[in-house]
Amino acid sequence: MRAPTARSTNHHSLLPFADATNNLPLMPSSSAAPATHRLRLWWRRLGRRGATAASVAALLAAAFFFLALSPDASAPATSAPSYGHRLPALVDLTLVDGAKEKGAVCLDGTPPGYHWLPGFGEGSDKWLLHLEGGSWCRNLTVCGQRKKTNLGSSDYMERRAEFVGILSDDELQNPDFYNWNKVKVRYCDGASFSGNVEDEFQDGTSFYFRGQRIWEAVMRELLSKGLSRAKEAFLTGCSAGGLFTYIHCDDFRALVPKASTVKCLADGGFFLDVEDISGRRYMRSFYNDVARLQDVRKNLIRCSSDMEPGQCFFPREVAKGISTPMFILNPAYDVWQVEHVLSPEGSDPERLWENCRLDITKCDAKQLETLQGFRRELLDAISDFKKKKDWGMFIDSCYIHCQSMNPLTWHSPSAPRINNKTIAESVGDWFFNRREVKEIDCEYPCNPTCHNTVLSRPYKEA
């Protein structure tokens, strides 16, 4: 499947992000390399003072838009822009040793994988793990399609991954975690690393729903490589990986008891259990199918017998039992949720929301009122967690999805800001207890620093 082309509006061009539905990266083509090199030189000259220069940030972002984005943003890329001293690190894929013997395999039976960039200096005994996103598969047909992609088989995973954003080893781009051990865990089970079905045959076809075993196998291997001796540890994830972070945050804490500080961050993972524009709860139905197919319920310990299994899969329920400090990073107008939770195609037969889904600036007054209601639903859902002293949050008013793995939105001269703080600065302040971070942005379109996604065509379900 091809991912939709994305760009952004409101002053800044957006490095297209990974499609949370099929995880096909939306990256500039290789022809963008000279432009991104020029931008890196500009960033070096700007230094930290450039982060507050709005006019320069606008120029920088505009230049990237015109010079770096190819007409087909889903084309393969050789290099993503890196706002720092050097090109992003390219980190090799490692397949988990002995995974097949443990039954810890991807949908097609191939071993799972991860990319590990060792730490250095003072960060050599500190670890940051990032769980990849990529939606979910709700039935055998869709899971069968995923088996032929990087989301269901390690045979299709790229052998090297660029580490940018929260995974960058460049101090300018990632000031608080640049020298840590950093791991990107690949997603290939279709249920946020939470399924565990013993029988490999479904309707006569081989499927392995073993996400829980994948998580355990990856952790065993990383613990043996030094994670067990970590002094500080940070579990993060994007989209479906963000949902996983809510589900397994306390499990992660238990695995690294020697660490003095263990915290978690979910990026774009606070999916809402709300009625869509037709009055039905499409996402709950979707999660019901995923939970039943992969027997996820047994991993959701707070799921009561009177609740549908899909209800228990939503962060509002999962997060109630979390004791480990958690950071909620979410846009109030999540572009993926607007399309799949609020206004799925099946609930919009007359396609009245089609233009609004693709570009928030095309929404009419009534649709914007609905979007503001969606924002209020999010703020209500996180209200109890806002009261937790050791939790943090950054809820911007941008029309985007994941932001921590994007060098432009994580920390750059043109990064989104709330109270003049970037996401990276806010997360660092929270993690190291420099200040309490409970940042809630004003309503759209109040924040001129936002990167608002514009899609060329709708997302397709995985």
Side-chain angles (χ1 to χ4, degrees):
M1 285 181 291
R2 287 162 66 96
T5 304
R7 59 187 179 84
S8 73
T9 58
N10 286 25
H11 307 294
H12 305 311
S13 69
L14 171 69
L15 174 65
F17 54 85
D19 177 352
T21 306
N22 55 31
N23 209 44
L24 296 175
L26 302 176
M27 304 293 285
S29 70
S30 57
S31 63
T36 59
H37 176 69
R38 286 194 290 271
L39 289 173
R40 278 190 291 276
L41 292 177
W42 294 350
W43 167 242
R44 279 185 230 175
R45 293 166 187 160
L46 283 171
R48 292 187 178 273
R49 290 177 297 174
T52 59
S55 59
V56 177
L59 175 63
L60 180 71
F64 173 72
F65 176 69
F66 287 112
L67 297 174
L69 276 181
S70 70
D72 180 6
S74 63
T78 58
S79 177
S82 173
Y83 293 91
H85 287 306
R86 54 187 177 276
L87 289 169
L90 291 173
V91 184
D92 291 333
L93 176 69
T94 299
L95 298 180
V96 178
D97 187 45
K100 286 189 174 183
E101 291 75 13
K102 300 179 181 70
V105 291
C106 299
L107 287 172
D108 71 336
T110 54
Y114 61 89
H115 306 260
W116 172 35
L117 182 64
F120 57 93
E122 294 182 357
S124 58
D125 56 2
K126 301 169 185 177
W127 286 72
L128 187 153
L129 276 63
H130 183 84
L131 282 297
E132 183 180 39
S135 191
W136 310 266
C137 57
R138 67 188 302 184
N139 56 50
L140 297 181
T141 298
V142 179
C143 290
Q145 295 169 354
R146 286 174 77 102
K147 287 168 65 174
K148 297 178 176 63
T149 74
N150 61 303
L151 291 173
S153 171
S154 58
D155 285 346
Y156 295 91
M157 294 175 185
E158 65 271 23
R159 267 32 206 175
R160 306 183 87 188
E162 287 186 336
F163 272 32
V164 295
I166 198 171
L167 293 181
S168 174
D169 64 345
D170 191 323
E171 186 176 5
L172 281 179
Q173 186 184 140
N174 193 21
D176 283 306
F177 307 107
Y178 72 98
N179 59 354
W180 287 33
N181 292 275
K182 290 178 287 291
V183 181
K184 178 180 180 180
V185 182
R186 303 305 299 267
Y187 178 39
C188 65
D189 69 286
S192 290
F193 300 90
S194 298
N196 192 9
V197 178
E198 186 65 37
D199 189 358
E200 68 179 81
F201 290 100
Q202 308 288 329
D203 291 347
T205 303
S206 178
F207 285 92
Y208 295 88
F209 298 136
R210 306 284 178 78
Q212 176 67 29
R213 297 191 200 185
I214 290 174
W215 162 247
E216 293 170 356
V218 170
M219 288 302 296
R220 275 194 298 268
E221 190 155 305
L222 294 178
L223 287 166
S224 70
K225 291 185 174 183
L227 177 59
S228 63
R229 300 183 295 277
K231 290 185 178 179
E232 294 179 294
F234 197 10
L235 179 67
T236 75
C238 154
S239 192
L243 175 60
F244 166 88
T245 307
Y246 289 113
I247 295 171
H248 286 290
C249 182
D250 283 343
D251 296 338
F252 179 67
R253 179 67 184 95
L255 288 169
V256 284
K258 294 181 180 179
S260 59
T261 303
V262 179
K263 298 185 179 183
C264 305
L265 176 148
D267 178 10
F270 207 98
F271 298 95
L272 296 178
D273 182 16
V274 296
E275 292 183 353
D276 64 22
I277 55 175
S278 71
R280 65 176 182 145
R281 291 182 183 267
Y282 172 79
M283 203 62 196
R284 184 188 296 185
S285 173
F286 185 99
Y287 275 168
N288 277 336
D289 291 344
V290 174
R292 292 186 180 113
L293 181 65
Q294 297 219 29
D295 197 17
V296 169
R297 187 167 193 146
K298 57 191 174 188
N299 273 330
L300 306 173
I301 58 176
R302 294 184 62 86
C303 192
S304 61
S305 59
D306 63 338
M307 297 175 69
E308 298 176 54
Q311 283 180 270
C312 310
F313 216 34
F314 286 98
R316 186 171 192 168
E317 294 299 327
V318 175
K320 289 178 181 178
I322 298 175
S323 58
T324 305
M326 169 72 71
F327 194 97
I328 302 173
L329 169 58
N330 240 80
Y333 312 92
D334 188 309
V335 60
W336 193 93
Q337 290 201 62
V338 169
E339 183 155 358
H340 291 285
V341 179
L342 182 62
S343 63
E345 287 187 2
S347 297
D348 185 28
E350 298 180 8
R351 301 170 68 177
L352 299 177
W353 275 74
E354 184 173 53
N355 290 333
C356 179
R357 281 191 292 262
L358 298 178
D359 180 352
I360 194 171
T361 66
K362 302 293 177 60
C363 299
D364 61 32
K366 186 175 181 180
Q367 289 167 336
L368 284 175
E369 183 180 339
T370 301
L371 290 177
Q372 302 300 6
F374 188 77
R375 172 181 178 270
R376 288 191 292 272
E377 290 277 7
L378 173 64
L379 298 185
D380 178 67
I382 65 174
S383 59
D384 288 341
F385 309 120
K386 187 179 179 182
K387 300 172 186 175
K388 294 190 175 186
K389 185 174 178 57
D390 57 356
W391 281 45
M393 56 186 63
F394 189 102
I395 311 297
D396 58 35
S397 60
C398 308
Y399 194 60
I400 194 171
H401 189 42
C402 292
Q403 300 176 87
S404 64
M405 285 287 287
N406 185 323
L408 278 176
T409 55
W410 173 246
H411 190 63
S412 75
S414 62
R417 285 170 167 75
I418 303 179
N419 293 325
N420 204 32
K421 289 280 191 174
T422 66
I423 296 170
E425 290 169 333
S426 299
V427 171
D429 286 348
W430 166 77
F431 189 93
F432 295 103
N433 300 316
R434 294 192 285 253
R435 66 181 176 99
E436 185 177 46
V437 180
K438 302 285 174 63
E439 303 290 7
I440 307 292
D441 209 353
C442 45
E443 290 186 352
Y444 171 87
C446 69
N447 190 338
T449 68
C450 272
H451 292 269
N452 293 322
T453 305
V454 178
L455 301 173
S456 63
R457 56 186 181 273
Y459 286 120
K460 299 298 181 184
E461 284 189 11

